[in-house]
């Protein structure tokens, strides 16, 4: 599971990942600037996943 998120929604993405997987996620910067945040239309800055 990978959640792309902007700076504003990173907390929500982490909470969602933990709720669904019951594991701590990795938080990595996004290399591809074409990805959009899963919660809004802004450019993704981080990918939350494991």
């Amino acid at each position: 599971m990978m959640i792309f998120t902007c700076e504003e929604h990173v907390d929500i993405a982490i909470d969602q990942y933990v709720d669904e997987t019951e594991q701590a996620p990795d938080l990595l910067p996004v290399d591809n600037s074409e990805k959009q945040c899963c919660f809004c239309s802004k450019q993704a800055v981080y990918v939350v996943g494991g």
Side-chain angles (χ1 to χ4, degrees), residues 7-48:
E7 190 79 42
E8 181 181 344
H9 294 112
V10 69
D11 293 338
I12 296 170
I14 291 170
D15 288 344
Q16 180 179 339
Y17 184 91
V18 171
D19 287 345
E20 291 184 18
T21 66
E22 298 181 0
Q23 296 179 3
D26 291 328
L27 180 62
L28 303 169
V30 173
D31 293 334
N32 185 347
S33 62
E34 296 176 10
K35 296 289 185 182
Q36 287 187 326
C37 176
C38 293
F39 304 99
C40 69
S41 59
K42 293 182 183 175
Q43 180 178 337
V45 180
Y46 297 109
V47 61
V48 177

